[in-house]
């Protein structure tokens, strides 16, 4: 099994945007991640799936250091990301993140949610930041809600605002942590449409998701994780039609069995 | 293995429009169809409410009558007519503020300055305890435990007889600092609780968009913790106003000290203590009404 990861890597361009090697993380004695190796090239779309508790979210949260790892190396655009580093903010500004529970700032209007990052981080003027914010709100088809507060919006609308908020910082890569898991069924499609448009626009994306239709349509590679390890990396067609390991076969049969 | 190629859970066409059991769309929004019935007049409940108010009035009247009868039995000489000059006098057309007014001003100064200091100390201590810094956390913990586990009056004597001569400060500032450090310790726990009460996702979202720790707290966390902090902090400021009476033991000329002095001059103990209690009550109720309005405004803004 150890060389499963390396055979199937088919990088799109030569310099990887994210390089993860030998990544390990423990909570106390519990090993949450073990020996994760994954390179993501510029413009590549990677879907991470696996049963709950398999370390999918923990892995992508290590990339912007919302979780600290204890061993291994993470390089984002050539710069190493490590626990306790100074100027972690500079790295995070290049990484957009979308959470399962949206995490919009409920005390600010939608447009203020989008502009606070650019204004406070980069010293961009309020009018310029608002212009950028409106541009991205239009891209996620929600510009008419700009002056409302997040709690007034539906879950799907909030998640699209969250995507726009991340895009306003012009990130090099977008991380999605189960973006549709907390949504009502009828609002999922709108969020996935926005993510597909984003992928078509050439954004580098790592998505933790259970939306297998999305994975088939968009992913260049599917990463299957279980018990904190990468079990299988494959292109979506072969992963879904012909999973190589017992664990991925079991996972897919449970996911699609009913 | 068969997998659905699209993420749409079902085809849109299958939701038929003309189902016989459904109400048409326009009638779903019709306000007349959905009107709430009028609340009926309930005589039993009304009589009960009147009865409750009657009981309250009766209880208060009995208490008042007991005090009045006790005072009569002591042959207490009520002299309410002498009270007005304690607030102000007009001598030869010139307006002069009386001692109670001056005492009230000193109490307001004490309470407002030490209130502001207490909130500042509270924020500093709260952040010291929340921070990763071992030294900051240790100093904050020692301060909290020392203040919370010794009597306020002992602290006041320490400030006045020990620290004030060393630092060269007068009794007024000794009183202010003592009150500020005492209430600051409670304020810090209120503020810490408020900050920890903000959803963890908000901290992560602030981090994820690359805000510096200062910006994250200033623009994201503290504004959201205010609804959690304000109600208990109001209680704290009210108790600060009340605790300010204790600095009368080091003879700061505030409201309670003024009252004590007036009583030793006039022997009008009943009237003056009632008045002083009334003034404190007026101050604290005004404060809680103002903060109540502020909270209302904040909760409307959030919606």
């Amino acid at each position: 099994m150890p060389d499963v990861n390396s055979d199937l890597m088919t990088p799109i361009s030569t310099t990887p945007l994210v390089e993860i090697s030998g990544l390990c993380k423990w909570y106390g004695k519990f090993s949450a991640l073990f020996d994760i190796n994954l390179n993501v090239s510029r413009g590549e779309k990677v879907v991470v799936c696996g049963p709950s508790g398999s370390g999918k979210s923990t892995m992508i949260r290590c990339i912007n250091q919302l979780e600290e790892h204890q061993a291994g190396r993470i390089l984002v655009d050539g710069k190493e990301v490590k626990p306790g580093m100074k100027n972690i903010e500079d790295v995070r500004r290049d990484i957009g993140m979308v959470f399962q529970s949206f995490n919009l700032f409920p005390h600010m209007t939608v447009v203020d949610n989008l502009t606070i990052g650019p204004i406070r981080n980069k010293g961009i003027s309020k009018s310029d930041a608002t212009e950028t914010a409106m541009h991205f709100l239009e891209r996620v088809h929600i510009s008419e809600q700009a002056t409302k507060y997040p709690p007034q919006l539906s879950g799907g609308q909030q998640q699209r605002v969250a995507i726009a908020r991340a895009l306003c910082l012009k990130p090099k890569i977008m991380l999605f942590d189960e973006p549709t898991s907390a949504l009502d069924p009828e609002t999922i499609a709108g969020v996935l449409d926005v993510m597909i448009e984003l992928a078509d626009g050439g954004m580098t994306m790592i998505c933790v998701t259970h939306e297998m239709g999305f994975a088939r349509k968009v992913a260049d590679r599917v990463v299957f994780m279980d018990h904190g390890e990468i079990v299988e990396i494959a292109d979506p067609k072969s992963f879904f039609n012909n999973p190589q390991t017992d664990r991925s076969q079991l996972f897919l049969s449970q996911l699609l069995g009913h | 293995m068969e997998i659905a190629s699209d993420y749409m859970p079902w085809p849109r066409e299958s939701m038929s429009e003309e189902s016989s059991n459904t109400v048409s769309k326009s009638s779903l929004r019709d306000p007349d169809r959905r009107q709430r019935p009028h609340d009926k007049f309930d005589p039993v409940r009304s009589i009960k409410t009147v009865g409750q108010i009657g009981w309250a009035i009766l209880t208060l009247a009995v208490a008042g009558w007991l005090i009045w009868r006790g005072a009569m039995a002591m042959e207490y000489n009520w002299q309410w007519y002498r009270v007005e000059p304690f607030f102000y006098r007009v001598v030869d057309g010139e307006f002069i503020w009386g001692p109670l007014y001056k005492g009230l001003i000193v109490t307001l100064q004490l309470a407002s300055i030490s209130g502001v200091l207490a909130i500042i100390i509270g924020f500093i201590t709260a952040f010291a305890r929340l921070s990763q810094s071992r030294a900051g956390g240790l100093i904050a913990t020692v301060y909290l435990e020392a203040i919370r586990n010794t009597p306020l009056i002992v602290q006041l004597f320490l400030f006045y007889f020990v620290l004030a001569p060393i630092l060269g400060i007068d009794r007024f500032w000794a009183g202010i600092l003592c009150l500020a450090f005492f209430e600051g310790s409670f304020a810090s726990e209120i503020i810490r609780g408020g900050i920890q009460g903000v959803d963890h996702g908000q901290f992560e979202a602030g981090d994820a968009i690359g805000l510096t720790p200062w910006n994250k707290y200033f623009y994201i966390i503290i504004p959201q913790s205010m609804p959690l902090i304000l109600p208990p902090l109001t209680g704290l400021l009210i108790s600060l106003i009340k605790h300010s009476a204790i600095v009368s033991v080091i003879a700061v000329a505030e409201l309670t000290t003024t009252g004590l002095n007036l009583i030793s001059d006039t022997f009008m103990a009943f009237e003056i203590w009632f008045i002083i209690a009334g003034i404190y009550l007026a101050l604290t109720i005004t404060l809680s009404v103002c903060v109540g309005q502020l909270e209302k405004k904040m909760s409307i803004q959030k919606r």
Side-chain angles (χ1 to χ4, degrees):
Chain A
M1 201 215 312
D3 38 13
V4 162
N5 300 355
S6 47
D7 311 337
L8 286 154
M9 283 198 186
T10 47
I12 286 171
S13 90
T14 42
T15 49
L17 186 56
V18 178
E19 296 176 67
I20 302 174
S21 51
L23 179 70
C24 298
K25 175 165 179 67
W26 290 268
Y27 290 112
K29 286 197 173 155
F30 174 73
S31 164
L33 290 177
F34 188 72
D35 194 22
I36 302 287
N37 295 290
L38 181 69
N39 285 1
V40 179
S41 312
R42 274 165 225 279
E44 198 182 9
K45 287 94 187 128
V46 174
V47 164
V48 184
C49 63
S52 74
S54 59
K56 316 176 291 279
S57 295
T58 311
M59 180 185 77
I60 68 164
R61 287 158 61 89
C62 283
I63 297 173
N64 65 353
Q65 284 296 297
L66 289 183
E67 302 281 353
E68 299 186 340
H69 55 281
Q70 279 99 35
R73 265 159 67 87
I74 300 175
L75 299 179
V76 176
D77 203 16
K79 271 187 283 183
E80 182 167 5
V81 181
K82 51 189 167 194
M85 68 187 288
K86 279 194 175 162
N87 304 327
I88 180 72
E89 295 88 10
D90 294 338
V91 180
R92 284 172 173 161
R93 282 165 206 167
D94 289 341
I95 305 173
M97 179 136 195
V98 176
F99 299 91
Q100 180 178 358
S101 50
F102 330 133
N103 295 348
L104 295 176
F105 308 131
H107 60 300
M108 295 177 173
T109 60
V110 164
V111 69
D112 287 343
N113 265 275
L114 268 63
T115 55
I116 181 156
I119 291 174
R120 297 298 155 200
N121 293 342
K122 301 186 173 174
I124 291 169
S125 77
K126 193 169 180 184
S127 58
D128 288 354
T130 308
E131 204 173 297
T132 315
M134 292 310 295
H135 166 72
F136 282 113
L137 283 178
E138 265 160 43
R139 269 188 67 181
V140 301
H141 317 299
I142 206 163
S143 50
E144 69 281 3
Q145 314 280 8
T147 54
K148 287 194 180 167
Y149 287 86
Q152 295 171 306
L153 306 183
S154 75
Q157 290 173 325
Q158 290 191 48
Q159 194 60 295
R160 283 185 275 154
V161 172
I163 293 171
R165 176 175 70 181
L167 291 174
C168 273
L169 287 158
K170 313 264 167 75
K172 293 175 182 152
I173 181 170
M174 287 286 285
L175 309 176
F176 291 86
D177 188 359
E178 304 203 23
T180 56
S181 300
L183 295 178
D184 295 328
E186 73 264 29
T187 64
I188 289 177
V191 172
L192 290 177
D193 283 342
V194 164
M195 289 169 65
I196 290 165
E197 283 167 32
L198 197 58
D200 291 344
M203 175 62 79
T204 313
M205 292 162 68
I206 304 180
C207 310
V208 173
T209 183
H210 295 129
E211 297 291 336
M212 292 305 140
F214 172 79
R216 287 199 150 214
K217 209 173 239 174
V218 167
D220 295 311
R221 282 185 295 161
V222 175
V223 173
F224 175 71
M225 291 181 71
D226 196 9
H227 290 108
E229 293 180 56
I230 292 182
V231 179
E232 189 169 342
I233 300 184
D235 65 279
K237 209 167 191 179
S238 48
F239 177 74
F240 288 119
N241 296 336
N242 190 16
Q244 294 296 311
T245 62
D246 296 347
R247 283 193 276 183
S248 51
Q249 280 164 14
L250 180 70
F251 174 72
L252 284 174
S253 69
Q254 281 168 342
L255 196 67
L256 305 160
H258 48 88
Chain B
M1 199 164 285
E2 198 43 46
I3 302 131
S5 64
D6 209 342
Y7 48 82
M8 280 294 292
W10 60 81
R12 278 283 150 90
E13 296 81 50
S14 72
M15 299 172 73
S16 84
E17 298 243 314
E18 63 254 32
S19 171
S20 57
N21 287 342
T22 52
V23 189
S24 78
K25 210 164 194 183
S26 62
S27 107
L28 274 176
R29 288 168 198 272
D30 179 11
D32 287 339
R33 195 178 140 259
R34 303 179 55 161
Q35 218 163 38
R36 178 181 166 159
H38 290 293
D39 288 330
K40 283 196 190 108
F41 175 68
D42 181 352
V44 177
R45 217 171 68 191
S46 305
I47 289 169
K48 273 186 180 165
T49 310
V50 171
Q52 293 286 336
I53 295 168
W55 271 112
I57 292 173
L58 189 69
T59 313
L60 291 174
V62 167
W65 178 75
L66 282 172
I67 292 170
W68 179 76
R69 212 191 63 144
M72 288 294 280
M74 286 168 62
E75 295 183 11
Y76 186 81
N77 182 20
W78 293 96
Q79 303 176 69
W80 285 108
Y81 62 91
R82 286 179 61 191
V83 164
E84 198 182 299
F86 298 157
F87 287 99
Y88 66 90
R89 279 176 299 163
V90 181
V91 180
D92 299 336
E94 202 187 343
F95 191 87
I96 302 166
W97 287 113
L100 279 182
Y101 174 81
K102 286 178 184 160
L104 172 63
I105 295 298
V106 175
T107 289
L108 286 176
Q109 285 173 338
L110 269 174
S112 51
I113 299 174
S114 54
V116 170
L117 287 177
I119 292 170
I120 293 170
I121 292 169
F123 268 102
I124 293 171
T125 313
F127 279 107
R129 289 195 78 185
L130 288 170
S131 77
Q132 310 276 327
S133 153
R134 288 265 171 92
L138 189 69
I139 293 169
T141 309
V142 168
Y143 156 65
L144 283 184
E145 296 305 324
I147 294 282
R148 286 192 300 190
N149 295 306
T150 51
L152 175 56
I153 197 159
V154 174
Q155 291 166 25
L156 186 65
F157 287 144
L158 266 172
F159 267 90
Y160 181 55
F161 291 112
V162 180
L163 285 179
I166 293 172
L167 300 174
I169 53 177
D170 62 5
R171 60 186 74 208
F172 178 72
W173 281 98
I176 281 182
L177 287 180
C178 177
L179 286 171
F181 276 101
F182 180 77
E183 304 294 345
S185 69
F186 294 96
S188 86
E189 290 296 88
I190 291 170
I191 291 163
R192 191 170 68 106
I195 287 170
Q196 286 178 333
V198 175
D199 177 31
H200 194 65
Q202 296 290 316
F203 291 80
E204 290 185 344
D207 285 336
I209 62 168
L211 293 179
T212 58
W214 166 264
N215 282 338
K216 178 178 68 175
Y217 277 101
F218 191 79
Y219 294 103
I220 310 296
I221 305 302
I222 292 175
Q224 291 188 65
S225 65
M226 281 329 265
L228 302 172
I229 290 175
L230 263 188
L233 201 62
T234 312
L236 182 100
L237 291 177
I238 284 171
S239 68
L240 176 88
I241 292 176
K242 295 184 291 176
H243 284 154
S244 74
I246 206 170
V247 302
S248 60
V249 300
I250 57 169
V252 175
E254 46 71 74
L255 194 56
T256 306
T257 311
T258 312
L260 284 166
N261 293 344
L262 280 176
I263 290 163
S264 61
D265 289 347
T266 62
F267 301 105
M268 288 163 58
F270 281 30
E271 294 90 332
I272 286 170
W273 283 133
F274 272 123
I275 286 167
I276 291 198
I279 293 174
Y280 279 116
L281 198 62
L283 285 182
T284 51
I285 287 175
T286 311
L287 182 63
S288 37
V289 168
C290 289
V291 177
Q293 292 295 322
L294 189 69
E295 273 170 44
K296 223 185 220 170
K297 219 172 168 185
M298 282 170 65
S299 68
I300 289 168
Q301 213 177 41
K302 244 182 94 177
R303 260 180 274 134

